[in-house]
Amino acid sequence: MKALPAFIEGYGEVRPFTGRTERPPTAPRAAVERRVARPGGQKLLAGLPEAFDACGLRDGAVLSFHHHLRNGDAVLNRVLDAAAEHGLQSLTVAASSIFPVHAPLVRHIERGVVSRIVTSYVSGPVADAIAAGRLPTPVVMQTHGGRAMSIETGRLLIDAAFVAAPTADAQGNLAGAVGPAACGPLGYAMVDAAHARHVVAVTDHFVDFPALPIDIPQGEVDFVVRVNSIGDAAGIPSGTTRPTDDPVGLHIASLAARAIEASGLLGPDFSFQTGAGGISLAVARDLAQVMAAQRVQGSFAAGGVTGALCEMLEAGLFRSIFDVQCFDLQAVRSYRDDPRHVSMSASVYANPFGRGALVDQLKTMVLGAAEIDLDFNVNVTMGANGRILGGSGGHADTADGAELALVTTRLGSAAGPKLVREVACVTTPGSTIDLVVTEAGIAVPPRRRDLAERLARAGLPLKPLEELQRLAERQHPCAPAAPREGRIVGVVEYRDGSVIDLLRAA
Amino acid sequence: MKALPAFIEGYGEVRPFTGRTERPPTAPRAAVERRVARPGGQKLLAGLPEAFDACGLRDGAVLSFHHHLRNGDAVLNRVLDAAAEHGLQSLTVAASSIFPVHAPLVRHIERGVVSRIVTSYVSGPVADAIAAGRLPTPVVMQTHGGRAMSIETGRLLIDAAFVAAPTADAQGNLAGAVGPAACGPLGYAMVDAAHARHVVAVTDHFVDFPALPIDIPQGEVDFVVRVNSIGDAAGIPSGTTRPTDDPVGLHIASLAARAIEASGLLGPDFSFQTGAGGISLAVARDLAQVMAAQRVQGSFAAGGVTGALCEMLEAGLFRSIFDVQCFDLQAVRSYRDDPRHVSMSASVYANPFGRGALVDQLKTMVLGAAEIDLDFNVNVTMGANGRILGGSGGHADTADGAELALVTTRLGSAAGPKLVREVACVTTPGSTIDLVVTEAGIAVPPRRRDLAERLARAGLPLKPLEELQRLAERQHPCAPAAPREGRIVGVVEYRDGSVIDLLRAA
């Protein structure tokens, strides 16, 4: 690993990543002082300024947000606009993810309204502003599980959690499955609501008591604010929503599905997660055919859930879906209608210090990558050009947890090779990756000789990663980027809260 | 109020009841140090001794239990038998309720295995042993809401919560709605599981992952132990399960239903809770007819849920049921099958220091009584003869919360008058009671003049409570019991944790 400073201004002491998830024998669930509701008291407030006052928010407060509406979310912008108008300064934004739609946050950074960001994913104008050094403190990039861990253990204390609620009642029961901006389960918000000092629901669908089905119960909500729109559910399926039809992508997907079949993991304990990329969706489709042909019913699919997984549930290929957030509207409908499609909090999903996370039960995870290096390290955080691309989300969590963490990737793109000698940023350590599937062959790390043997027996085209990398470099020549040595603009935490890498300005 | 000592040996400092629920502006949700699960680690243990060791239980530990299987529960006995064999001593049993089936606990008290009991209800041999002074410390009698408050705020720290799980999987997901001993929602256990240091699920229905529908998620469970039976669901409907057919009881029920109608509370915000006694069930039946005739659909029914409430839901008389525990098997089926019948934790049900409890939204609560005195104080804890009869459960919580807290009672029984000059024990303060309905008329406390006027206009037979009390004394003559002045065998806490009364040995 690269050397890390012992202390980073605006972040604090650095505990370096040790090469694996360090778990203490016990972990605290932090104390929190919470408001006691008065019988007959009104949770419904006139607006956000009233909520800020009711929460006693001051300069420097930590506000949290969740990203179930993804690139359709209107709540983060609305709350920060109101906070700016309210005169609040130096806020920390703890948002589970930040999308291009959150561009107005850049202005709040410039004006000092927001001085610190903790997130698991950031793309678009906010990412660019951070990479350009416009945020006065380094962005803290956590994994989804690391975020849950930080909130539960009290490393990240939230003064007020703002919950974008597709449906709410006057008592603060919140439902994600119904309403004009229905988004499905509120898995990230569940953790915020359970641990924040104050919880403010923001809703555009206020109903007579009770708001059913309840995702977050009234016992975790202090205030409710009505707005005309919490966002546009059409923004949930940002990016790809259907399988790739590109021949190279289809070939990779087919190899990946065959590798899963050959891994020996298919059976009644099989479980599966995949993202929403075009290749991932094609893997799911191919795998569904394999499972159907073999009459396998697996245990669960998990995620980040797409319609592809819901169709596998409906086809009887899994007994259940565990869902922390929906990736498309088909998944939202499935969550609403199918009792086998259940919600989970981000803590149950991925908290490494919890009492058992779903990711740690996963048999197979299909991952994407911006870059992979010769140590199998994966980067989905920062491009060689210095642009922030996103971040871990659940990438590092699921790779660590899954028995078979499989990365699908093309050898390269117009921007250059995707298989590189050294990644610009380590999001997910190579020690947790079991398989890299490219159009030119499949690479298995040396520690998974068992897996290599199974794949070889199945006739799959195994190649040393070095060979694939050289090929990638040849096919996608690109001048190597200069190492970035400017000031630290981001601290990349691994799921256990250790620091695995830094983001630097040019 | 009676004078109280400032300190009680074996209990601690006494904060006396002030006449109303004292709510601080904020309350802590206590910190707790919890076990971190290892990926691939086994939650399923060979037996209870292994669970005791895994939890690190020692003499003096606090073990919690919940009473969803009521008089059919086998888990409390099984765990304490195993604890005794394991050599554990001086345990605190924090059981949400204790029933006659728990008679073996008496032996554990005698042998020093159990030296302290915190509960919300105790009847049968354990109650008799406590009243006889056989427990070395005073039993702490809490309300259901006070128990949730104590656990959440850290007044009551639980070392290990034992959850009787009708269905469980290897990861510790627990379901109450299915399995041979299905009991419905696990509302009391939810609070224990969320706050105990260790959580042990005990199940007789171990299923492949996942156990659906999940009442308690795997993130709150450390260990799972399989036993051949967690109890007999036939023991859930202990006591009455159908409306009274006694003419006096029917007359009281009819008056109560007419009083609710006359109260002006029926409407789209109407909500209702009632117990499982014969008169209560007759009130529900009569009220259903009134609501159907008036085409009223209320907001919710709550409880402790009986089939009578489920039939009202099915008939469209309520939009929802909020259920902390089922009182009969019809309710269990309704919880399993009807998505409008939802679970709530004991904290959402009744915690006075929470962010809004259902009981504090209740429009009407129908309560029973062992005794009522001239101040409208109600006793459901200890008879004049010194027998412990049960305890508050949710009695004091719902009376405090409900806009119309209505007590139905006969004037007296073979044991003597039920309307008395002074109750042997104050369970529920008269300041929270709005109506007493007897076969000889209805009494309204002076502070509810508004209600008296409505009832009078409806032609209901109002009588001063003093007159009803004198009548009760005449019709049910009985030598007054000698005041009990022996040692303190019980401390009765109000829902805010203050002490409202004491139980003394003869």
Side-chain angles (χ1 to χ4, degrees), chain A residues 23 26 29 32-34 38 43 209 218 319 355 361, chain B residues 23 26-27 29 32-33 38 43 209 218 319 355 361:
Chain A
R23 287 181 168 86
T26 64
R29 199 266 310 271
V32 58
E33 192 73 23
R34 299 196 293 199
R38 271 36 225 173
K43 288 190 178 184
F209 183 92
Q218 62 182 59
R319 294 196 295 279
R355 297 200 258 200
Q361 291 160 241
Chain B
R23 286 181 169 88
T26 63
R29 198 267 310 273
V32 60
E33 193 72 22
R38 267 44 221 170
K43 289 190 177 184
F209 184 89
Q218 64 183 59
R319 295 196 295 278
R355 298 200 258 199
Q361 293 161 238

PDB file of all heavy atoms in Angstrom, chain A residues 23 26 29 32-34 38 43 209 218 319 355 361, chain B residues 23 26-27 29 32-33 38 43 209 218 319 355 361:
ATOM      1  N   ARG A  23     -12.015  -6.471  12.497  1.00  0.00           N
ATOM      2  CA  ARG A  23     -13.235  -6.434  13.296  1.00  0.00           C
ATOM      3  C   ARG A  23     -12.891  -6.566  14.763  1.00  0.00           C
ATOM      4  O   ARG A  23     -12.259  -7.539  15.158  1.00  0.00           O
ATOM      5  CB  ARG A  23     -14.169  -7.579  12.918  1.00  0.00           C
ATOM      6  CG  ARG A  23     -14.865  -7.427  11.589  1.00  0.00           C
ATOM      7  CD  ARG A  23     -15.772  -8.631  11.366  1.00  0.00           C
ATOM      8  NE  ARG A  23     -16.676  -8.430  10.255  1.00  0.00           N
ATOM      9  CZ  ARG A  23     -16.376  -8.689   8.987  1.00  0.00           C
ATOM     10  NH1 ARG A  23     -15.182  -9.157   8.672  1.00  0.00           N
ATOM     11  NH2 ARG A  23     -17.268  -8.488   8.040  1.00  0.00           N
ATOM     12  N   THR A  26     -16.129  -6.646  20.017  1.00  0.00           N
ATOM     13  CA  THR A  26     -17.418  -5.994  20.246  1.00  0.00           C
ATOM     14  C   THR A  26     -17.328  -4.577  19.709  1.00  0.00           C
ATOM     15  O   THR A  26     -16.231  -4.044  19.525  1.00  0.00           O
ATOM     16  CB  THR A  26     -17.796  -5.912  21.745  1.00  0.00           C
ATOM     17  OG1 THR A  26     -16.828  -5.086  22.409  1.00  0.00           O
ATOM     18  CG2 THR A  26     -17.824  -7.288  22.394  1.00  0.00           C
ATOM     19  N   ARG A  29     -22.858   0.399  20.180  1.00  0.00           N
ATOM     20  CA  ARG A  29     -23.951   1.121  19.530  1.00  0.00           C
ATOM     21  C   ARG A  29     -24.029   2.404  20.366  1.00  0.00           C
ATOM     22  O   ARG A  29     -24.285   2.368  21.563  1.00  0.00           O
ATOM     23  CB  ARG A  29     -25.258   0.322  19.619  1.00  0.00           C
ATOM     24  CG  ARG A  29     -26.321   0.752  18.603  1.00  0.00           C
ATOM     25  CD  ARG A  29     -27.283   1.754  19.163  1.00  0.00           C
ATOM     26  NE  ARG A  29     -27.840   1.353  20.420  1.00  0.00           N
ATOM     27  CZ  ARG A  29     -28.950   0.633  20.556  1.00  0.00           C
ATOM     28  NH1 ARG A  29     -29.636   0.260  19.528  1.00  0.00           N
ATOM     29  NH2 ARG A  29     -29.390   0.310  21.760  1.00  0.00           N
ATOM     30  N   VAL A  32     -27.450   8.150  22.167  1.00  0.00           N
ATOM     31  CA  VAL A  32     -27.924   9.363  21.503  1.00  0.00           C
ATOM     32  C   VAL A  32     -29.030   9.974  22.366  1.00  0.00           C
ATOM     33  O   VAL A  32     -29.825   9.258  22.976  1.00  0.00           O
ATOM     34  CB  VAL A  32     -28.416   9.061  20.064  1.00  0.00           C
ATOM     35  CG1 VAL A  32     -29.529   8.038  20.035  1.00  0.00           C
ATOM     36  CG2 VAL A  32     -28.842  10.331  19.355  1.00  0.00           C
ATOM     37  N   GLU A  33     -28.991  11.290  22.472  1.00  0.00           N
ATOM     38  CA  GLU A  33     -30.006  12.000  23.247  1.00  0.00           C
ATOM     39  C   GLU A  33     -31.101  12.416  22.278  1.00  0.00           C
ATOM     40  O   GLU A  33     -30.824  13.107  21.296  1.00  0.00           O
ATOM     41  CB  GLU A  33     -29.361  13.212  23.929  1.00  0.00           C
ATOM     42  CG  GLU A  33     -30.188  13.884  24.982  1.00  0.00           C
ATOM     43  CD  GLU A  33     -30.288  13.078  26.279  1.00  0.00           C
ATOM     44  OE1 GLU A  33     -29.398  12.236  26.550  1.00  0.00           O
ATOM     45  OE2 GLU A  33     -31.284  13.297  27.005  1.00  0.00           O
ATOM     46  N   ARG A  34     -32.313  11.966  22.523  1.00  0.00           N
ATOM     47  CA  ARG A  34     -33.378  12.221  21.547  1.00  0.00           C
ATOM     48  C   ARG A  34     -34.536  12.998  22.170  1.00  0.00           C
ATOM     49  O   ARG A  34     -34.791  12.929  23.371  1.00  0.00           O
ATOM     50  CB  ARG A  34     -33.889  10.895  20.983  1.00  0.00           C
ATOM     51  CG  ARG A  34     -32.779  10.139  20.270  1.00  0.00           C
ATOM     52  CD  ARG A  34     -33.287   9.038  19.385  1.00  0.00           C
ATOM     53  NE  ARG A  34     -33.899   7.957  20.147  1.00  0.00           N
ATOM     54  CZ  ARG A  34     -34.085   6.732  19.649  1.00  0.00           C
ATOM     55  NH1 ARG A  34     -33.715   6.446  18.413  1.00  0.00           N
ATOM     56  NH2 ARG A  34     -34.653   5.815  20.385  1.00  0.00           N
ATOM     57  N   ARG A  38     -44.338  15.091  22.929  1.00  0.00           N
ATOM     58  CA  ARG A  38     -45.468  15.422  23.815  1.00  0.00           C
ATOM     59  C   ARG A  38     -46.730  14.841  23.216  1.00  0.00           C
ATOM     60  O   ARG A  38     -46.974  15.021  22.008  1.00  0.00           O
ATOM     61  CB  ARG A  38     -45.670  16.936  23.865  1.00  0.00           C
ATOM     62  CG  ARG A  38     -44.937  17.771  24.884  1.00  0.00           C
ATOM     63  CD  ARG A  38     -43.588  17.389  25.228  1.00  0.00           C
ATOM     64  NE  ARG A  38     -43.398  17.422  26.664  1.00  0.00           N
ATOM     65  CZ  ARG A  38     -42.297  16.983  27.268  1.00  0.00           C
ATOM     66  NH1 ARG A  38     -41.315  16.474  26.576  1.00  0.00           N
ATOM     67  NH2 ARG A  38     -42.193  17.040  28.566  1.00  0.00           N
ATOM     68  N   LYS A  43     -46.055  16.990  15.015  1.00  0.00           N
ATOM     69  CA  LYS A  43     -44.822  16.696  14.285  1.00  0.00           C
ATOM     70  C   LYS A  43     -44.798  17.459  12.960  1.00  0.00           C
ATOM     71  O   LYS A  43     -43.729  17.735  12.420  1.00  0.00           O
ATOM     72  CB  LYS A  43     -44.707  15.206  13.996  1.00  0.00           C
ATOM     73  CG  LYS A  43     -44.395  14.367  15.244  1.00  0.00           C
ATOM     74  CD  LYS A  43     -44.050  12.937  14.864  1.00  0.00           C
ATOM     75  CE  LYS A  43     -43.687  12.136  16.104  1.00  0.00           C
ATOM     76  NZ  LYS A  43     -43.263  10.765  15.766  1.00  0.00           N
ATOM     77  N   PHE A 209     -53.389   8.983   8.715  1.00  0.00           N
ATOM     78  CA  PHE A 209     -52.778   7.902   9.470  1.00  0.00           C
ATOM     79  C   PHE A 209     -53.507   6.603   9.195  1.00  0.00           C
ATOM     80  O   PHE A 209     -54.717   6.582   9.181  1.00  0.00           O
ATOM     81  CB  PHE A 209     -52.852   8.233  10.965  1.00  0.00           C
ATOM     82  CG  PHE A 209     -52.188   7.231  11.856  1.00  0.00           C
ATOM     83  CD1 PHE A 209     -50.859   7.393  12.217  1.00  0.00           C
ATOM     84  CD2 PHE A 209     -52.885   6.139  12.343  1.00  0.00           C
ATOM     85  CE1 PHE A 209     -50.233   6.472  13.039  1.00  0.00           C
ATOM     86  CE2 PHE A 209     -52.259   5.205  13.162  1.00  0.00           C
ATOM     87  CZ  PHE A 209     -50.934   5.377  13.509  1.00  0.00           C
ATOM     88  N   GLN A 218     -42.997   5.621  13.309  1.00  0.00           N
ATOM     89  CA  GLN A 218     -43.130   6.934  13.926  1.00  0.00           C
ATOM     90  C   GLN A 218     -42.204   7.133  15.118  1.00  0.00           C
ATOM     91  O   GLN A 218     -41.834   8.259  15.424  1.00  0.00           O
ATOM     92  CB  GLN A 218     -44.576   7.156  14.355  1.00  0.00           C
ATOM     93  CG  GLN A 218     -45.079   6.173  15.408  1.00  0.00           C
ATOM     94  CD  GLN A 218     -46.546   6.431  15.748  1.00  0.00           C
ATOM     95  OE1 GLN A 218     -47.421   6.388  14.887  1.00  0.00           O
ATOM     96  NE2 GLN A 218     -46.816   6.698  17.005  1.00  0.00           N
ATOM     97  N   ARG A 319     -35.500 -17.748  -3.354  1.00  0.00           N
ATOM     98  CA  ARG A 319     -36.598 -17.769  -2.384  1.00  0.00           C
ATOM     99  C   ARG A 319     -36.942 -16.373  -1.891  1.00  0.00           C
ATOM    100  O   ARG A 319     -38.023 -16.151  -1.345  1.00  0.00           O
ATOM    101  CB  ARG A 319     -36.218 -18.635  -1.180  1.00  0.00           C
ATOM    102  CG  ARG A 319     -36.048 -20.122  -1.505  1.00  0.00           C
ATOM    103  CD  ARG A 319     -36.069 -20.999  -0.261  1.00  0.00           C
ATOM    104  NE  ARG A 319     -34.958 -20.765   0.628  1.00  0.00           N
ATOM    105  CZ  ARG A 319     -33.733 -21.278   0.474  1.00  0.00           C
ATOM    106  NH1 ARG A 319     -33.481 -22.061  -0.565  1.00  0.00           N
ATOM    107  NH2 ARG A 319     -32.775 -21.025   1.340  1.00  0.00           N
ATOM    108  N   ARG A 355     -24.164  -7.564  13.686  1.00  0.00           N
ATOM    109  CA  ARG A 355     -24.325  -8.936  14.141  1.00  0.00           C
ATOM    110  C   ARG A 355     -24.621  -9.866  12.963  1.00  0.00           C
ATOM    111  O   ARG A 355     -25.347 -10.838  13.104  1.00  0.00           O
ATOM    112  CB  ARG A 355     -25.434  -8.976  15.185  1.00  0.00           C
ATOM    113  CG  ARG A 355     -25.039  -8.144  16.394  1.00  0.00           C
ATOM    114  CD  ARG A 355     -25.818  -8.508  17.618  1.00  0.00           C
ATOM    115  NE  ARG A 355     -26.861  -7.551  17.874  1.00  0.00           N
ATOM    116  CZ  ARG A 355     -27.440  -7.392  19.059  1.00  0.00           C
ATOM    117  NH1 ARG A 355     -27.104  -8.144  20.089  1.00  0.00           N
ATOM    118  NH2 ARG A 355     -28.375  -6.500  19.221  1.00  0.00           N
ATOM    119  N   GLN A 361     -22.790 -13.031   3.683  1.00  0.00           N
ATOM    120  CA  GLN A 361     -23.378 -14.324   3.337  1.00  0.00           C
ATOM    121  C   GLN A 361     -23.413 -14.555   1.829  1.00  0.00           C
ATOM    122  O   GLN A 361     -23.852 -15.603   1.380  1.00  0.00           O
ATOM    123  CB  GLN A 361     -24.845 -14.382   3.790  1.00  0.00           C
ATOM    124  CG  GLN A 361     -25.076 -14.417   5.272  1.00  0.00           C
ATOM    125  CD  GLN A 361     -26.491 -13.984   5.593  1.00  0.00           C
ATOM    126  OE1 GLN A 361     -26.704 -13.003   6.293  1.00  0.00           O
ATOM    127  NE2 GLN A 361     -27.477 -14.706   5.076  1.00  0.00           N
TER     128      GLN A 361
ATOM    129  N   ARG B  23     -42.347  14.029  31.667  1.00  0.00           N
ATOM    130  CA  ARG B  23     -41.514  13.765  30.487  1.00  0.00           C
ATOM    131  C   ARG B  23     -40.377  14.770  30.421  1.00  0.00           C
ATOM    132  O   ARG B  23     -40.627  15.975  30.398  1.00  0.00           O
ATOM    133  CB  ARG B  23     -42.333  13.884  29.205  1.00  0.00           C
ATOM    134  CG  ARG B  23     -43.274  12.741  28.944  1.00  0.00           C
ATOM    135  CD  ARG B  23     -44.012  12.983  27.629  1.00  0.00           C
ATOM    136  NE  ARG B  23     -44.750  11.808  27.193  1.00  0.00           N
ATOM    137  CZ  ARG B  23     -45.983  11.524  27.554  1.00  0.00           C
ATOM    138  NH1 ARG B  23     -46.638  12.323  28.387  1.00  0.00           N
ATOM    139  NH2 ARG B  23     -46.586  10.438  27.094  1.00  0.00           N
ATOM    140  N   THR B  26     -35.645  15.752  26.595  1.00  0.00           N
ATOM    141  CA  THR B  26     -34.966  14.723  25.789  1.00  0.00           C
ATOM    142  C   THR B  26     -34.692  13.530  26.691  1.00  0.00           C
ATOM    143  O   THR B  26     -34.708  13.653  27.919  1.00  0.00           O
ATOM    144  CB  THR B  26     -33.611  15.220  25.224  1.00  0.00           C
ATOM    145  OG1 THR B  26     -32.742  15.502  26.325  1.00  0.00           O
ATOM    146  CG2 THR B  26     -33.771  16.464  24.364  1.00  0.00           C
ATOM    147  N   ALA B  27     -34.462  12.402  26.062  1.00  0.00           N
ATOM    148  CA  ALA B  27     -34.119  11.196  26.828  1.00  0.00           C
ATOM    149  C   ALA B  27     -33.017  10.469  26.078  1.00  0.00           C
ATOM    150  O   ALA B  27     -32.967  10.501  24.851  1.00  0.00           O
ATOM    151  CB  ALA B  27     -35.337  10.299  26.989  1.00  0.00           C
ATOM    152  N   ARG B  29     -31.046   7.437  24.415  1.00  0.00           N
ATOM    153  CA  ARG B  29     -31.094   6.039  23.997  1.00  0.00           C
ATOM    154  C   ARG B  29     -29.711   5.529  24.395  1.00  0.00           C
ATOM    155  O   ARG B  29     -28.694   6.028  23.914  1.00  0.00           O
ATOM    156  CB  ARG B  29     -31.318   5.949  22.487  1.00  0.00           C
ATOM    157  CG  ARG B  29     -31.822   4.568  22.016  1.00  0.00           C
ATOM    158  CD  ARG B  29     -30.695   3.650  21.596  1.00  0.00           C
ATOM    159  NE  ARG B  29     -29.781   4.258  20.671  1.00  0.00           N
ATOM    160  CZ  ARG B  29     -29.945   4.258  19.345  1.00  0.00           C
ATOM    161  NH1 ARG B  29     -30.966   3.659  18.808  1.00  0.00           N
ATOM    162  NH2 ARG B  29     -29.046   4.844  18.583  1.00  0.00           N
ATOM    163  N   VAL B  32     -24.783   0.683  24.022  1.00  0.00           N
ATOM    164  CA  VAL B  32     -24.654  -0.734  24.361  1.00  0.00           C
ATOM    165  C   VAL B  32     -23.483  -1.298  23.565  1.00  0.00           C
ATOM    166  O   VAL B  32     -23.259  -0.936  22.417  1.00  0.00           O
ATOM    167  CB  VAL B  32     -25.975  -1.497  24.098  1.00  0.00           C
ATOM    168  CG1 VAL B  32     -26.400  -1.417  22.640  1.00  0.00           C
ATOM    169  CG2 VAL B  32     -25.855  -2.960  24.513  1.00  0.00           C
ATOM    170  N   GLU B  33     -22.712  -2.129  24.230  1.00  0.00           N
ATOM    171  CA  GLU B  33     -21.564  -2.767  23.578  1.00  0.00           C
ATOM    172  C   GLU B  33     -22.041  -4.119  23.065  1.00  0.00           C
ATOM    173  O   GLU B  33     -22.539  -4.939  23.830  1.00  0.00           O
ATOM    174  CB  GLU B  33     -20.435  -2.940  24.608  1.00  0.00           C
ATOM    175  CG  GLU B  33     -19.102  -3.301  24.014  1.00  0.00           C
ATOM    176  CD  GLU B  33     -18.403  -2.168  23.262  1.00  0.00           C
ATOM    177  OE1 GLU B  33     -18.714  -0.988  23.517  1.00  0.00           O
ATOM    178  OE2 GLU B  33     -17.563  -2.486  22.394  1.00  0.00           O
ATOM    179  N   ARG B  38     -18.577 -12.622  13.097  1.00  0.00           N
ATOM    180  CA  ARG B  38     -17.534 -12.984  12.131  1.00  0.00           C
ATOM    181  C   ARG B  38     -18.199 -13.553  10.888  1.00  0.00           C
ATOM    182  O   ARG B  38     -19.096 -14.399  11.021  1.00  0.00           O
ATOM    183  CB  ARG B  38     -16.678 -14.115  12.722  1.00  0.00           C
ATOM    184  CG  ARG B  38     -15.411 -13.751  13.482  1.00  0.00           C
ATOM    185  CD  ARG B  38     -15.497 -12.640  14.422  1.00  0.00           C
ATOM    186  NE  ARG B  38     -14.287 -11.825  14.322  1.00  0.00           N
ATOM    187  CZ  ARG B  38     -14.141 -10.649  14.907  1.00  0.00           C
ATOM    188  NH1 ARG B  38     -15.106 -10.117  15.616  1.00  0.00           N
ATOM    189  NH2 ARG B  38     -13.039  -9.981  14.775  1.00  0.00           N
ATOM    190  N   LYS B  43     -24.074 -18.781  14.202  1.00  0.00           N
ATOM    191  CA  LYS B  43     -24.974 -18.300  15.254  1.00  0.00           C
ATOM    192  C   LYS B  43     -25.699 -19.467  15.922  1.00  0.00           C
ATOM    193  O   LYS B  43     -26.150 -19.359  17.057  1.00  0.00           O
ATOM    194  CB  LYS B  43     -26.018 -17.346  14.659  1.00  0.00           C
ATOM    195  CG  LYS B  43     -25.448 -15.997  14.238  1.00  0.00           C
ATOM    196  CD  LYS B  43     -26.547 -15.015  13.883  1.00  0.00           C
ATOM    197  CE  LYS B  43     -25.959 -13.653  13.548  1.00  0.00           C
ATOM    198  NZ  LYS B  43     -26.996 -12.641  13.299  1.00  0.00           N
ATOM    199  N   PHE B 209     -32.758 -20.293   5.294  1.00  0.00           N
ATOM    200  CA  PHE B 209     -32.758 -18.849   5.107  1.00  0.00           C
ATOM    201  C   PHE B 209     -33.617 -18.482   3.899  1.00  0.00           C
ATOM    202  O   PHE B 209     -33.471 -19.119   2.856  1.00  0.00           O
ATOM    203  CB  PHE B 209     -31.317 -18.381   4.880  1.00  0.00           C
ATOM    204  CG  PHE B 209     -31.155 -16.903   4.770  1.00  0.00           C
ATOM    205  CD1 PHE B 209     -30.929 -16.134   5.893  1.00  0.00           C
ATOM    206  CD2 PHE B 209     -31.259 -16.274   3.535  1.00  0.00           C
ATOM    207  CE1 PHE B 209     -30.785 -14.761   5.788  1.00  0.00           C
ATOM    208  CE2 PHE B 209     -31.131 -14.903   3.431  1.00  0.00           C
ATOM    209  CZ  PHE B 209     -30.892 -14.149   4.565  1.00  0.00           C
ATOM    210  N   GLN B 218     -31.832 -10.220  11.435  1.00  0.00           N
ATOM    211  CA  GLN B 218     -30.592 -10.870  11.860  1.00  0.00           C
ATOM    212  C   GLN B 218     -29.598  -9.931  12.495  1.00  0.00           C
ATOM    213  O   GLN B 218     -28.786 -10.356  13.314  1.00  0.00           O
ATOM    214  CB  GLN B 218     -29.958 -11.573  10.665  1.00  0.00           C
ATOM    215  CG  GLN B 218     -29.523 -10.640   9.546  1.00  0.00           C
ATOM    216  CD  GLN B 218     -28.962 -11.426   8.355  1.00  0.00           C
ATOM    217  OE1 GLN B 218     -29.641 -12.256   7.774  1.00  0.00           O
ATOM    218  NE2 GLN B 218     -27.713 -11.173   8.016  1.00  0.00           N
ATOM    219  N   ARG B 319     -59.027   1.461   9.387  1.00  0.00           N
ATOM    220  CA  ARG B 319     -58.094   1.373   8.260  1.00  0.00           C
ATOM    221  C   ARG B 319     -56.899   0.484   8.575  1.00  0.00           C
ATOM    222  O   ARG B 319     -56.194   0.048   7.672  1.00  0.00           O
ATOM    223  CB  ARG B 319     -57.573   2.778   7.900  1.00  0.00           C
ATOM    224  CG  ARG B 319     -58.652   3.722   7.368  1.00  0.00           C
ATOM    225  CD  ARG B 319     -58.045   4.936   6.668  1.00  0.00           C
ATOM    226  NE  ARG B 319     -57.296   5.805   7.560  1.00  0.00           N
ATOM    227  CZ  ARG B 319     -57.834   6.737   8.352  1.00  0.00           C
ATOM    228  NH1 ARG B 319     -59.146   6.909   8.368  1.00  0.00           N
ATOM    229  NH2 ARG B 319     -57.067   7.498   9.103  1.00  0.00           N
ATOM    230  N   ARG B 355     -40.563   8.976  20.644  1.00  0.00           N
ATOM    231  CA  ARG B 355     -40.888  10.061  19.719  1.00  0.00           C
ATOM    232  C   ARG B 355     -42.329   9.943  19.239  1.00  0.00           C
ATOM    233  O   ARG B 355     -42.646  10.300  18.116  1.00  0.00           O
ATOM    234  CB  ARG B 355     -39.901  10.029  18.553  1.00  0.00           C
ATOM    235  CG  ARG B 355     -38.488  10.269  19.074  1.00  0.00           C
ATOM    236  CD  ARG B 355     -37.556  10.720  18.000  1.00  0.00           C
ATOM    237  NE  ARG B 355     -36.723   9.644  17.547  1.00  0.00           N
ATOM    238  CZ  ARG B 355     -35.583   9.810  16.875  1.00  0.00           C
ATOM    239  NH1 ARG B 355     -35.159  11.008  16.587  1.00  0.00           N
ATOM    240  NH2 ARG B 355     -34.870   8.790  16.498  1.00  0.00           N
ATOM    241  N   GLN B 361     -52.017   8.450  21.048  1.00  0.00           N
ATOM    242  CA  GLN B 361     -52.926   8.865  19.972  1.00  0.00           C
ATOM    243  C   GLN B 361     -54.312   8.253  20.137  1.00  0.00           C
ATOM    244  O   GLN B 361     -55.189   8.515  19.326  1.00  0.00           O
ATOM    245  CB  GLN B 361     -52.415   8.365  18.618  1.00  0.00           C
ATOM    246  CG  GLN B 361     -51.144   8.972  18.128  1.00  0.00           C
ATOM    247  CD  GLN B 361     -50.511   8.097  17.053  1.00  0.00           C
ATOM    248  OE1 GLN B 361     -49.380   7.665  17.220  1.00  0.00           O
ATOM    249  NE2 GLN B 361     -51.223   7.814  15.980  1.00  0.00           N
TER     250      GLN B 361
END
